[in-house]
Amino acid sequence: MENDIQGRAAHLAGIREKAEAEMARMGIDAAFIDRLVDTFYGRIQAHPRLGPVFDGRLAGRWPDHMEKMKRFWSSVAFKNGAYGGKPVQAHLGVEGIAADLFPEWLALFSQTLDDIAPSQQAKDWFMATAERIARSLTLSLFYSPALDDPAGKTA
C-alpha cells in the first residue's frame, strides 16, 4: 500500500514537472496567470453583455472570484491541484447566462491573449483550453438530450 501511495505521488509529481516545463517553454509562469486573470476579468467587467451577468453573480465578491480563477488557471496550466471547485455547479442558475454569451467570452479571451500572451504557442494553448471549457460548460448547462431524440422529431 505504501509503495502504491509513493508511486502515485511520484507519478503526480512527474505530471506537474512536465506541465511546468511545457508552460516555461511557452513563456508561461505564475505572474502571467495573474496578469491573464486580472486583464481578462477587468475586460469582462467592462463588457456590455458579459459584465452585468458576472456582476449580478459576483457583486461584492470580485476579489474572491479573481483568486479562485487564478487558482483555476494555475491548476489547468501547471497541473498543480491548486483548484478544487466544480465549474458546472458554479454556473448553474446564474441569472442572465445564455449559450450565446460563450462566443463573446471566447472572443474577449482571445483578444486578451493577443495583447498579453508571451508567445503564439501560449495563445494557442490557452485558446484551445478555453474552447474546451466553453464547450463543456455550454453542453452541461444548455444541452438537452431530448432535442436529439428521433422520436420527438417530426418529418
Side-chain angles (χ1 to χ4, degrees), residues 87-88 102 130-142:
V88 173
F102 283 90
E131 288 166 353
R132 279 192 305 275
I133 291 166
R135 192 169 34 256
S136 175
L137 284 172
T138 301
L139 287 170
S140 296
L141 297 171
F142 304 107

Side-chain angles (χ1 to χ4, degrees), residues 76-93:
V76 170
F78 301 116
K79 310 276 191 271
N80 61 16
Y83 176 81
K86 298 178 179 177
V88 173
Q89 288 82 351
H91 291 84
L92 287 172

Side-chain angles (χ1 to χ4, degrees), residues 10-11 16-17 19 25 29 44 47 59 63 67 73 78 82 99 102 112-113 119 121 124 127 131 141 146:
H11 177 71
R16 282 192 301 274
E17 288 172 14
R25 281 192 297 277
D29 58 12
I44 285 282
H47 191 276
E67 288 307 312
W73 282 106
F78 301 116
F102 283 90
T112 301
L113 289 168
S119 66
Q121 294 86 3
D124 293 346
M127 277 310 302
E131 288 166 353
L141 297 171

Side-chain angles (χ1 to χ4, degrees), residues 25-117:
R25 281 192 297 277
M26 291 187 274
I28 302 303
D29 58 12
F32 173 76
I33 298 291
D34 288 350
R35 184 172 179 217
L36 174 63
V37 170
D38 290 338
T39 304
F40 177 63
Y41 283 98
R43 292 175 180 187
I44 285 282
Q45 290 175 0
H47 191 276
R49 289 194 66 213
L50 296 167
V53 174
F54 277 79
D55 201 46
R57 180 69 160 216
L58 299 171
R61 298 184 307 114
W62 274 102
D64 291 340
H65 183 69
M66 300 292 278
E67 288 307 312
K68 185 182 290 185
M69 291 300 92
K70 289 174 184 180
R71 287 191 310 273
F72 173 81
W73 282 106
S74 177
S75 185
V76 170
F78 301 116
K79 310 276 191 271
N80 61 16
Y83 176 81
K86 298 178 179 177
V88 173
Q89 288 82 351
H91 291 84
L92 287 172
V94 172
E95 187 173 334
I97 196 167
D100 69 337
L101 290 176
F102 283 90
E104 292 186 51
W105 181 90
L106 285 168
L108 195 59
F109 196 74
S110 179
Q111 291 166 1
T112 301
L113 289 168
D114 282 342
D115 293 341
I116 69 168

